[in-house]
Amino acid sequence: MNWLVSLTIVCLAVQCGTVVQYPEDDVYRSLAFVFDTTGSMENDYLQLKSHAESIMTCVLTRNNTDIKHFVFVPFNDPDVGPVTETFDPKVVMYKLNQVLIGGGNDCPEMGITAVIEALKVVKPNSYVYVFTDAPPKDSHLVYDALELIQRKQSQVVVLRTEHGCVSTDTSYENIASLGSGNVFDVNKGDISKVLEFVKTSMDTNRVNLMSVNIPQKQLIPFPKKLSIDESIKSLQVSVSGLNSNIDVVNPIGRKMDEANGLITDLNLKNVKIVKILEPMPGEWTLYITSESSHEIRACGISTKNFDFGFAIAKPKNMSQTSHRPLKGAKNYILVDCPDVKKFVSCKIQDLSSDGRTEALSMLVFGKNLLLCGPFIPNDNPFYVQVIGMNNYSNYFKRITKTSIIPNEPDVPYITTTKKAIGVVGGELRINCHVESLVPVKVTWESLNYPQQSWNFSQSSEIELVVRNITFQHAGIYTCGAQNIAGYSKSTTNVTIISKPTIAEGNDNVTVVLPEGGDYSMTCTGHGVPSPKMIWFMNGSPISYYNDHILVINDILRLIIYDASLSDSNVYTCRASNEAGAIEKNYNIVVKVDTAVSIANESLIIDEQDDVLMNCPLTNMNNKWYKDGVNINDLVYKRADEQHFRQKDRGLKIYELDELDSGVYTCMSSNETYSFHLQVAFAPYFVKYQPETMMIGRNETVVFDCKAKGFPKPKLLWRKLESSLPITQWTLKDTEYLENKQILKIHSVDWIHNGTYTCIVKNKLGIEKRRFELYVF
């Protein structure tokens, strides 16, 4: 086994070598429903279930949605789950319909645990919706939920209906605040309004523009500035607080109202949300008031955003960063923002400081990469804010999707692709991304092969490269990492496949086939997994059976039966599987066997018709010959009427029959002129044979269907018990003789029992003969 391990900077698993990714590694988002199933939810359950279904339908009918993964987590007290995750939305709705409401005798429930279970399985940048009427009793797990929210960069929205519980618990508020989500306290009349808003808020291109927590009431509005660039297609401002009010002023100083584009999405006692479509680029101003502490959020719909990560040593790329900074240490922030022409500032914004920021030093390097810091984070949640100039010289301002909390050293977080496929003879590449805030030792190992290990100062990405793959390279590959906080690992299940081959070789073949002939082409494919075999004619798939083309034996054999000129084509056998495809071409050329006539003219006249042949020669000596014999020496009569009659320089023949076919020649003193006359007549059999035949096993039987006719008749054979024509490839031990006029079966067996039909036909008629064969 050749091992080549190299560090990669930005190499993604799907871009490396011949790794084939499974659907679980596709880029998609999740939609998760977390449902309180305790007894107090009975009155709300049907309404919430109906709205959950409505949200699901709304998502699925969007043309540009990338939500493909669905999660359902019911929670009671003390039970949580089971967790359902699926790619089929019908499965989630089935689970919703199977929910049993009951239990939960005390007020608080296990809501945070349920949120954590949902966050564990959703994909990054997903949506989690919690439906409950009670505070949580597992508030000590909020930190774990916040860790997952920051790692998954996902939004948690809590819809809390009216309940009789008296509680000062703010766990849901903390989760929503840190994750830029919302907590909606609603009565039954407000549920529909909130859920209609939820349906319209799940946009895949949602970006954060402002996130501020105000710890006290604010009755006199204080202006807050908001930079809008031309990529923002929709601006949404929300305030969570008692009796809040939002005034929005555009860059030219006009206060927005319903007459000039302000849309009120939601107006409840504790939440107000407004929206403006197609806002003009520039500096907008928000004036906010609220009768209680409140949270201000501004977001936009845009495809322009940035990526970020933290490191204690200067990172060279994003793979060397972590999603959270190290608590109590100097940290750097690496920002990747491909849509900024020039960086203006990089700041830390404390969530609880009314939007106040701390500017960091900046170092621009690489394409669109910005290194900020170092800085020592305090214990408070914060956002990273980036401001720059875009290509249109407008300010570009974004903040992180979620707030960030500094972290103590934690066990390494490892990401590997769960499944990978290598191709025999090719190259297999598996990436292992290790996230660690402190120095870490990384290992790659597989059964029966020595362990490989490396040391890194912080987060890194290891790429395992295996060359000259054989089937022995299949198995479980483990990437492990150890730091001061502990050990973790992730495994990749490697499957080895091989490219298809064709047993008969892949060299192209040209075959010249006489008209009426039969030809068989076999195409046997080998490979892992077994290849799919398809026959094509001139690039189009061939059906399993038509008048001339048969595909049999699991499409491994193609038969051209009773070839005609139209069967002259290129026939292609293709063997394909996940590793690739291979083809073999058969160029079939069907030719007609035409006799060369030495006569000056050729005539074809139907039987019983008359024909007149006029000799074009001058000075003709009035002599006609048939096949070299003088006409006067031939005696042909029909009753008492002469059969041949010469008139001037012509020869007329009355009531033609097959014996009149031949070469007729007129002569002058020094030259001749000839006519090749062919008399067309319907086919007929020339030999009688018994129609019922009894033959012992292993004996030989012959069916004789010799026939005459002109044009030369076609002869076809059929067996009543089979839909396929009789060929040496469709009925064993068969052989055709004398241009298919005789069918011979060697070593007769039980399978040969049955009714055989021979058919002779040309344009003037058709004749059939049946044979019954009994084998004893």
Side-chain angles (χ1 to χ4, degrees):
M1 179 178 188
N2 292 324
W3 291 75
L4 173 61
V5 182
S6 60
L7 297 181
T8 58
I9 297 178
V10 293
C11 178
L12 300 177
V14 72
Q15 297 172 322
C16 294
T18 56
V19 175
V20 179
Q21 299 295 343
Y22 278 65
E24 65 188 54
D25 298 309
D26 287 347
V27 178
Y28 56 84
R29 306 189 194 212
S30 307
L31 174 61
F33 294 116
V34 178
F35 255 76
D36 183 346
T37 63
T38 57
S40 60
M41 287 288 290
E42 186 172 6
N43 294 332
D44 300 324
Y45 169 69
L46 291 178
Q47 187 178 5
L48 292 175
K49 180 175 73 69
S50 173
H51 285 294
E53 186 171 6
S54 178
I55 292 173
M56 186 93 70
T57 302
C58 178
V59 169
L60 295 174
T61 53
R62 289 182 178 177
N63 293 329
N64 61 343
T65 185
D66 58 357
I67 298 175
K68 302 177 183 177
H69 181 233
F70 303 94
V71 177
F72 175 62
V73 184
F75 68 93
N76 206 285
D77 188 7
D79 299 320
V80 174
V83 177
T84 299
E85 54 173 327
T86 177
F87 292 96
D88 184 356
K90 294 179 182 177
V91 173
V92 170
M93 295 315 304
Y94 173 79
K95 293 292 184 179
L96 274 168
N97 286 318
Q98 298 301 309
V99 164
L100 297 177
I101 302 298
N105 295 323
D106 57 349
C107 189
E109 317 297 358
M110 302 293 286
I112 305 300
T113 302
V115 171
I116 291 172
E117 292 302 311
L119 288 168
K120 285 179 180 178
V121 298
V122 299
K123 301 292 284 186
N125 302 305
S126 293
Y127 305 93
V128 179
Y129 293 97
V130 184
F131 299 88
T132 186
D133 67 348
K137 68 166 43 178
D138 45 3
S139 299
H140 61 285
L141 297 176
V142 165
Y143 185 86
D144 296 333
L146 296 178
E147 154 68 17
L148 285 169
I149 288 173
Q150 291 171 88
R151 182 176 296 283
K152 296 293 182 76
Q153 292 287 290
S154 293
Q155 185 183 68
V156 178
V157 174
V158 181
L159 194 148
R160 190 166 53 195
T161 55
E162 294 176 324
H163 56 82
C165 299
V166 177
S167 174
T168 58
D169 186 275
T170 59
S171 297
Y172 287 133
E173 283 77 6
N174 290 337
I175 288 175
S177 174
L178 293 171
S180 297
N182 294 96
V183 176
F184 297 107
D185 284 316
V186 295
N187 55 42
K188 290 180 173 55
D190 293 331
I191 291 178
S192 297
K193 299 176 186 178
V194 172
L195 289 173
E196 281 302 311
F197 161 73
V198 166
K199 286 194 290 186
T200 61
S201 66
M202 286 186 296
D203 197 292
T204 57
N205 294 320
R206 186 184 181 97
V207 296
N208 265 12
L209 305 175
M210 176 186 291
S211 186
V212 179
N213 284 11
I214 309 296
Q216 68 279 333
K217 65 181 178 179
Q218 190 165 345
L219 302 180
I220 300 175
F222 187 81
K224 297 189 178 300
K225 301 298 183 180
L226 192 62
S227 294
I228 300 296
D229 61 89
E230 72 285 342
S231 74
I232 303 295
K233 302 305 177 185
S234 174
L235 169 63
Q236 184 185 84
V237 180
S238 68
V239 179
S240 297
L242 186 63
N243 297 324
S244 302
N245 185 66
I246 305 172
D247 287 332
V248 182
V249 178
N250 70 13
I252 61 176
R254 177 181 294 174
K255 180 181 176 181
M256 305 298 289
D257 54 28
E258 293 183 359
N260 52 31
L262 185 73
I263 302 170
T264 301
D265 273 341
L266 199 61
N267 191 6
L268 305 177
K269 186 176 182 179
N270 67 324
V271 178
K272 185 169 185 177
I273 301 174
V274 299
K275 179 171 62 180
I276 298 169
L277 301 178
E278 301 294 340
M280 69 171 61
E283 187 175 73
W284 290 64
T285 307
L286 306 179
Y287 295 92
I288 309 295
T289 62
S290 178
E291 296 178 6
S292 67
S293 60
H294 52 286
E295 301 165 1
I296 304 171
R297 304 283 183 264
C299 66
I301 304 303
S302 171
T303 57
K304 313 299 184 183
N305 210 350
F306 72 98
D307 195 9
F308 69 98
F310 299 93
I312 56 174
K314 289 183 178 180
K316 296 180 179 179
N317 52 70
M318 295 303 297
S319 68
Q320 296 180 356
T321 65
S322 298
H323 73 289
R324 297 171 72 179
L326 181 62
K327 187 176 182 179
K330 289 184 177 180
N331 287 264
Y332 291 91
I333 307 174
L334 184 62
V335 172
D336 183 0
C337 191
D339 300 300
V340 169
K341 183 178 180 180
K342 177 184 177 181
F343 289 103
V344 175
S345 69
C346 176
K347 298 180 178 181
I348 297 299
Q349 175 191 321
D350 195 310
L351 177 64
S352 302
S353 62
D354 195 12
R356 289 189 296 273
T357 59
E358 173 189 350
L360 304 180
S361 60
M362 300 189 301
L363 173 64
V364 179
F365 72 98
K367 185 178 181 180
N368 307 118
L369 287 177
L370 173 67
L371 187 65
C372 309
F375 75 105
I376 300 176
N378 56 36
D379 294 341
N380 297 329
F382 66 90
Y383 291 91
V384 176
Q385 180 191 96
V386 176
I387 301 178
M389 301 289 289
N390 62 17
N391 291 327
Y392 298 93
S393 297
N394 289 322
Y395 281 105
F396 178 101
K397 180 180 179 181
R398 297 288 188 273
I399 65 173
T400 49
K401 288 184 177 180
T402 66
S403 58
I404 300 149
I405 302 175
N407 195 22
E408 300 283 354
D410 199 0
V411 295
Y413 185 83
I414 303 179
T415 305
T416 61
T417 180
K418 298 305 178 185
K419 297 179 182 179
I421 297 178
V423 179
V424 170
E427 189 174 84
L428 172 69
R429 294 173 180 264
I430 314 174
N431 280 336
C432 175
H433 182 263
V434 178
E435 186 177 319
S436 176
L437 291 165
V438 292
V440 60
K441 180 179 181 179
V442 181
T443 61
W444 261 117
E445 60 182 321
S446 181
L447 186 64
N448 300 324
Y449 294 103
Q451 185 184 83
Q452 309 286 311
S453 62
W454 304 265
N455 293 309
F456 301 100
S457 61
Q458 57 190 8
S459 300
S460 291
E461 190 165 282
I462 285 281
E463 183 186 53
L464 176 68
V465 181
V466 184
R467 295 194 172 98
N468 300 320
I469 296 172
T470 67
F471 285 110
Q472 283 68 41
H473 290 112
I476 302 297
Y477 290 72
T478 301
C479 180
Q482 177 80 51
N483 66 11
I484 60 174
Y487 174 81
S488 58
K489 65 180 181 179
S490 180
T491 61
T492 299
N493 186 7
V494 173
T495 302
I496 305 301
I497 63 177
S498 63
K499 294 181 179 179
T501 59
I502 294 177
E504 293 77 13
N506 59 344
D507 293 334
N508 296 334
V509 175
T510 297
V511 176
V512 178
L513 188 62
E515 187 179 28
D518 301 339
Y519 186 72
S520 169
M521 297 163 273
T522 58
C523 189
T524 308
H526 298 291
V528 178
S530 296
K532 180 181 180 181
M533 310 298 297
I534 302 179
W535 279 97
F536 295 85
M537 181 173 70
N538 291 341
S540 298
I542 297 175
S543 60
Y544 280 81
Y545 176 75
N546 62 32
D547 287 343
H548 293 278
I549 309 299
L550 294 76
V551 181
I552 60 174
N553 298 336
D554 296 328
I555 68 173
L556 299 180
R557 183 184 296 276
L558 184 143
I559 299 172
I560 299 178
Y561 172 73
D562 186 36
S564 65
L565 291 176
S566 62
D567 296 325
S568 294
N569 285 298
V570 176
Y571 298 84
T572 303
C573 167
R574 178 185 297 168
S576 62
N577 65 9
E578 295 175 54
I582 190 170
E583 293 183 348
K584 178 173 183 174
N585 293 325
Y586 291 83
N587 183 24
I588 304 299
V589 180
V590 181
K591 288 193 172 181
V592 179
D593 185 14
T594 56
V596 179
S597 174
I598 60 173
N600 300 100
E601 291 186 37
S602 294
L603 302 173
I604 298 177
I605 310 296
D606 289 349
E607 190 177 31
Q608 296 300 312
D609 285 351
D610 300 339
V611 64
L612 174 63
M613 294 173 284
N614 288 312
C615 183
L617 300 178
T618 58
N619 301 318
M620 179 187 169
N621 59 16
N622 207 31
K623 289 184 180 179
W624 281 90
Y625 295 85
K626 177 182 184 293
D627 297 328
V629 178
N630 193 308
I631 289 295
N632 294 328
D633 296 334
L634 298 176
V635 179
Y636 283 96
K637 292 185 181 291
R638 297 291 183 271
D640 57 354
E641 184 180 349
Q642 188 175 354
H643 188 51
F644 297 103
R645 179 176 296 177
Q646 297 184 55
K647 183 177 182 181
D648 295 330
R649 287 182 295 178
L651 175 66
K652 187 171 185 177
I653 307 175
Y654 297 89
E655 298 181 7
L656 290 167
D657 68 18
E658 61 179 292
L659 296 177
D660 292 321
S661 295
V663 177
Y664 292 81
T665 307
C666 62
M667 303 179 64
S668 69
S669 58
N670 58 0
E671 60 181 330
T672 61
Y673 191 91
S674 60
F675 297 84
H676 184 198
L677 175 63
Q678 293 174 288
V679 179
F681 59 95
Y684 62 89
F685 294 111
V686 298
K687 184 177 181 181
Y688 170 77
Q689 184 177 3
E691 294 186 352
T692 301
M693 307 177 70
M694 301 186 66
I695 303 295
R697 289 184 67 200
N698 298 319
E699 293 186 13
T700 299
V701 64
V702 174
F703 301 118
D704 190 331
C705 272
K706 292 191 186 75
K708 287 187 175 182
F710 187 84
K712 183 180 178 181
K714 281 184 171 291
L715 200 149
L716 306 175
W717 289 88
R718 292 288 188 272
K719 188 172 186 289
L720 181 63
E721 291 76 15
S722 174
S723 62
L724 301 176
I726 298 173
T727 69
Q728 59 180 300
W729 306 286
T730 55
L731 187 61
K732 74 171 187 174
D733 298 324
T734 57
E735 177 187 9
Y736 283 128
L737 303 173
E738 298 189 28
N739 294 323
K740 292 188 178 178
Q741 294 188 100
I742 294 177
L743 173 63
K744 187 175 184 179
I745 304 177
H746 305 271
S747 302
V748 170
D749 207 343
W750 307 119
I751 65 168
H752 296 112
N753 266 309
T755 302
Y756 294 79
T757 303
C758 67
I759 305 168
V760 291
K761 61 180 179 179
N762 64 14
K763 67 176 184 177
L764 297 178
I766 181 170
E767 291 290 333
K768 295 182 181 181
R769 177 174 285 176
R770 291 166 62 108
F771 301 94
E772 297 289 343
L773 176 62
Y774 298 96
V775 180
F776 61 89

